[in-house]
Amino acid sequence: MRVSKIGFIGLGVMGKEMARHLLSAGHEVHVYNRTKQKADELVAYGAKWQDTPAEIAARTDYVLTIVGYPQDVEEVYFSEQGLFSVAKKGQVFIDLTTSTPSLAKKIFDFGQTIGVETLDAPVSGGDIGAKEARLTTMVGGNETTFEKASQILSVFSGKVTYMGEAGSGQHTKMANQIMIASTMVGMVETLLYAETMGLDKEKVIEILGSGAAANFSLASYGPRILTEDYSPGFFAKHFLKDLKIALDEAKAKNLTLPGTQLATDFYQQVVDKGYGDYGTQVLMKFLSESN
Ligand code: NAP
């Protein structure tokens, strides 16, 4: 395998695991995160700390970013010490954050003006997928850039698919979140119903997980709900961010998504109640408390 100089920005639940896989694969990995302490383990494992996104860009050929919100992405790419401040022709920047298709296009267009190739490559598969290097990665941008970068993305992905022009990765991720929105509501209502009827919830998860109702949310979050483990996983506040982007994109095309709207209303209330830093499975706690 060809060893690449890779920058990695954003070392949270997802990024820390993905950067670790890149190190394990033998790449030279330079890291930066808003809270420096979160890089300690990776630095002990061989990563090189840099003080700003600009210093990352100055030392690497590929830069991968996975921060929280679109405004964080804006800052990492466009601020005074951002990636674009020192970007060189031929570099490849890949944003793995779940963000807006319009920001993906803005990054792509700016990159084009200075000869930097960019991809929007959001991921699905949760904290478990990141830990086990079997994320699903949906990619927008130029296909030639995708071909160049797919070997790197494959290090932490079970599946990597090119979806089309810049922004297509983010649109595909929105389609993914629309599916999960109603699935989460269905999964939690299933467990509430089972509980109310006095069924053994562990057995319910096992049997439904073997039939037509099987799904990722039930398999990964169902068991956590049974032990009242509401730790993230996938932050409820980030899911709300995603659902709002999906609804905005749909609205811009006059598309109404009532199921997604309902899930968004629930997650807004979850966040308003102060549960945003829990995992998305906290919807169970929220709906139990409101019953
Ligand atoms: P997270 O744990 O909050 O990680 C985000 C990291 O980015 C944090 O460490 C944060 O720094 C850092 N960051 C934010 N702004 C920054 C900036 N301007 N400069 C440098 N670092 C910055 O969240 P996560 O769960 O890893 O999720 C990251 C993204 O992936 C989100 O967009 C989320 O929607 C998406 N996603 C998550 C999952 C999942 O299951 N967790 C699955 C698929 C996609 P601090 O340490 O200072 O907070």
Side-chain angles (χ1 to χ4, degrees):
M1 188 205 66
R2 191 164 52 84
V3 173
S4 300
K5 289 185 181 179
I6 301 174
F8 204 103
I9 299 177
L11 305 172
V13 173
M14 301 297 281
K16 191 171 146 188
E17 300 299 331
M18 296 154 105
R20 188 171 54 78
H21 291 305
L22 292 168
L23 280 165
S24 299
H27 294 292
E28 180 181 316
V29 183
H30 297 250
V31 293
Y32 172 71
N33 188 65
R34 185 171 53 197
T35 307
K36 186 178 178 185
Q37 191 197 339
K38 288 197 190 166
D40 287 351
E41 251 179 70
L42 287 167
V43 170
Y45 194 52
K48 297 172 198 303
W49 171 262
Q50 303 299 339
D51 282 325
T52 60
E55 287 183 33
I56 291 270
R59 288 169 176 77
T60 55
D61 300 317
Y62 294 85
V63 182
L64 278 60
T65 53
I66 181 158
V67 290
Y69 297 87
Q71 59 266 34
D72 300 326
V73 177
E74 282 263 4
E75 195 183 320
V76 166
Y77 282 76
F78 292 105
S79 66
E80 212 177 303
Q81 291 295 311
L83 291 173
F84 279 133
S85 68
V86 296
K88 303 181 290 279
K89 201 168 186 254
Q91 274 185 309
V92 180
F93 294 165
I94 306 170
D95 187 30
L96 308 154
T97 315
T98 306
S99 173
T100 60
S102 58
L103 180 53
K105 282 191 202 120
K106 179 178 163 182
I107 290 172
F108 177 86
D109 290 342
F110 188 83
Q112 292 288 97
T113 64
I114 56 168
V116 170
E117 299 174 55
T118 72
L119 296 171
D120 49 298
V123 298
S124 177
D127 57 332
I128 303 173
K131 278 197 183 91
E132 299 181 354
R134 50 182 179 83
L135 290 166
T136 298
T137 305
M138 33 210 110
V139 188
N142 282 344
E143 197 159 10
T144 46
T145 315
F146 168 76
E147 279 156 11
K148 225 182 195 177
S150 65
Q151 198 193 14
I152 288 174
L153 296 174
S154 298
V155 168
F156 48 75
S157 308
K159 192 166 180 64
V160 184
T161 300
Y162 177 69
M163 299 305 301
E165 63 178 15
S168 305
Q170 295 297 353
H171 275 307
T172 309
K173 174 73 188 196
M174 288 308 127
N176 185 83
Q177 299 308 73
I178 287 163
M179 174 76 83
I180 291 178
S182 294
T183 309
M184 281 302 293
V185 176
M187 188 268 286
V188 164
E189 288 191 352
T190 295
L191 294 180
L192 274 175
Y193 182 85
E195 185 174 271
T196 306
M197 299 308 153
L199 296 173
D200 178 333
K201 285 184 285 186
E202 201 170 328
K203 279 185 160 175
V204 168
I205 289 174
E206 197 191 321
I207 188 72
L208 298 195
S210 312
N215 66 81
F216 177 91
S217 300
L218 180 69
S220 12
Y221 301 129
R224 295 187 202 187
I225 287 172
L226 294 196
T227 59
E228 294 184 29
D229 172 7
Y230 298 119
S231 61
F234 180 32
F235 289 108
K237 63 185 180 186
H238 283 166
F239 195 33
L240 179 61
K241 171 249 311 171
D242 298 355
L243 297 178
K244 285 182 172 173
I245 296 172
L247 288 177
D248 282 350
E249 293 296 327
K251 194 173 164 197
K253 299 275 187 196
N254 294 319
L255 177 66
T256 310
L257 303 172
T260 308
Q261 184 63 60
L262 176 67
T264 308
D265 294 344
F266 280 149
Y267 277 98
Q268 183 66 64
Q269 291 173 65
V270 162
V271 168
D272 291 346
K273 203 168 176 184
Y275 291 168
D277 282 324
Y278 286 120
T280 49
Q281 71 275 23
V282 77
L283 184 62
M284 179 74 178
K285 182 173 159 69
F286 172 77
L287 284 183
S288 302
E289 288 167 356
S290 354
N291 253 285

